[in-house]
Amino acid sequence: MSTSVRSWRTALLTAAALAGVTATLVATPAQAKGTATLEVLASGLVNGRDVTALRDGRILVAEAGEGKTDCAAETHCAGPTGAIYQVNGSHKGRVVTGLASSGVGSAATGGAQEVGGPTAVAPAPDGGYLVLSSLGGTTETRTALGPAGATLGTLFRTRDGKVLADLADHETRLNPDQGEVHANPWRFVSNGHGYLATDSGANTLVAADCGGNTTTKVVFPKNDTSTGPAEAVPTGLVRAFDGTLYVSDFGGARPGNAKIWKIAPGGQPEVLVTGLNTLVDIALDGKGNLYALSFTDGFVQGPPLPGRLSKVNLSTKQITEVPTAGQLSQPTGIDVGPQGQIYVVAGNNADSKLLRVRP
């Protein structure tokens, strides 16, 4: 593969990082009958990352932004272009703007590549929002970006800007997987006593208590493949009502290598299912199913092939495709609403879209 491990862990998903990658496809899981309908609920999102469907019907999307809008080519810059977008019935628009975002300026596109910024969002218990921000580097990387990048690589709340967990600091100080020192937080959940977050760059699941102290909960192992070791790159994270955690991994971008891990309360991680491609997110539907979102089904010279949406039965472990007729272009986030509605964020750069998928 012509793309380095670092580029996958830095951008998980920018068109620039994916160009020129070649791989073969894996066997297709059992296909469901019919093709899903995709409804566009919002467009023009700037590097949309994750979607959060709330019980009151509101839908939130984390926008990573575009770094500093006038960043010179090949220069890493930070700017206040991250945001939180909300759909509330017929009302839609950004409810928070000015959040930290970073990217490397590109002469070819006139915009930023390898963008870091808000990658997951949830309402804060005491008002405002909780935001997890990606980074793609170390605390030194963040310091070099100046004050505009201060919250990159952290979990923070918008009400007062307080950092609740510094994932970049955790990785920089401890380097739990003993590999490249590289933080790129991706998803988080509340665990009742603090928070848990996946760090795709560090290959870890990190716990943070209410005082902001962080500990390594899991280090995900490398995968042995026919072409050599592949980074796990943990991505999606959900917590069931009984406290069981489910974590997806990108599988080091190797076809068929992506897994979903199950961590029972007090237990060790075990593989629930494998054989999937480039998983970027997962969501529970409350009916014994887990929806898994693949960024792409394979790579060719040029843009990646469309992504895939799969349904995993937690009891039987059967994987069934939700056919989308190739309409999921570079998807990055999924959630399931209280009535079983499936929402997906797809697309990159300045025209990400929030979609409702109707199987």
Side-chain angles (χ1 to χ4, degrees):
M1 293 177 64
S2 60
T3 298
S4 68
V5 169
R6 179 184 177 88
S7 65
W8 285 109
R9 287 156 53 177
T10 301
L12 231 193
L13 315 169
T14 60
L18 292 165
V21 179
T22 305
T24 55
L25 302 182
V26 297
T28 302
Q31 182 166 323
K33 295 181 180 180
T35 300
T37 300
L38 273 63
E39 175 188 1
V40 178
L41 299 182
S43 59
L45 305 175
V46 182
N47 284 304
R49 289 293 183 254
D50 193 25
V51 53
T52 304
L54 305 179
R55 291 187 176 275
D56 62 8
R58 290 180 295 149
I59 308 166
L60 304 174
V61 178
E63 292 181 87
E66 53 186 344
K68 186 180 179 183
T69 54
D70 58 350
C71 186
E74 307 305 320
T75 303
H76 196 187
C77 305
T81 57
I84 300 170
Y85 192 96
Q86 178 178 275
V87 175
N88 186 9
S90 60
H91 301 283
K92 58 185 70 175
R94 293 180 177 93
V95 291
V96 177
T97 58
L99 302 179
S101 173
S102 70
V104 178
S106 171
T109 65
Q113 303 297 316
E114 298 189 0
V115 172
T119 188
V121 59
D126 51 358
Y129 302 91
L130 303 176
V131 177
L132 184 69
S133 178
S134 58
L135 173 63
T138 66
T139 52
E140 287 77 14
T141 306
R142 184 171 63 197
T143 299
L145 292 170
T151 57
L152 296 171
T154 73
L155 174 66
F156 67 96
R157 64 189 182 201
T158 61
R159 179 172 57 84
D160 56 5
K162 182 177 180 179
V163 171
L164 305 177
D166 192 336
L167 284 300
D169 173 73
H170 183 88
E171 165 67 0
T172 302
R173 286 187 296 107
L174 303 176
N175 187 18
D177 73 346
Q178 297 301 299
E180 179 186 6
V181 181
H182 190 91
N184 200 34
W186 192 247
R187 296 290 184 263
F188 77 98
V189 296
S190 170
N191 67 352
H193 304 287
Y195 304 94
L196 295 164
T198 54
D199 189 327
S200 298
N203 292 306
T204 53
L205 176 66
V206 177
D209 64 22
C210 294
N213 303 300
T214 55
T215 56
T216 304
K217 186 173 179 67
V218 179
V219 176
F220 293 92
K222 290 184 178 180
N223 298 281
D224 292 324
T225 74
S226 59
T227 56
E231 301 282 347
V233 190
T235 51
L237 171 65
V238 291
R239 183 174 182 268
F241 288 117
D242 66 357
T244 299
L245 299 172
Y246 297 93
V247 182
S248 62
D249 73 41
F250 204 67
R254 307 294 173 86
N257 230 35
K259 300 177 178 65
I260 298 175
W261 299 80
K262 177 181 178 180
I263 310 173
Q268 296 298 312
E270 58 182 66
V271 176
L272 178 71
V273 294
T274 188
L276 297 163
N277 289 341
T278 60
L279 293 179
V280 288
D281 206 5
I282 50 178
L284 291 165
D285 70 355
K287 299 179 180 179
N289 299 304
L290 189 70
Y291 283 89
L293 186 64
S294 295
F295 179 67
T296 179
D297 252 351
F299 307 98
V300 292
Q301 293 298 326
L305 297 176
R308 178 187 294 269
L309 179 59
S310 302
K311 183 169 71 172
V312 181
N313 185 299
L314 293 176
S315 297
T316 65
K317 302 183 183 181
Q318 180 181 5
I319 302 172
T320 305
E321 181 191 358
V322 178
T324 54
Q327 298 177 80
L328 289 180
S329 175
Q330 301 183 52
T332 55
I334 184 172
D335 201 8
V336 177
Q339 304 302 319
Q341 316 96 313
I342 302 171
Y343 301 103
V344 171
V345 176
N348 231 319
N349 300 322
D351 193 24
S352 297
K353 295 178 173 62
L354 172 62
L355 308 171
R356 177 170 177 174
V357 181
R358 299 177 184 271

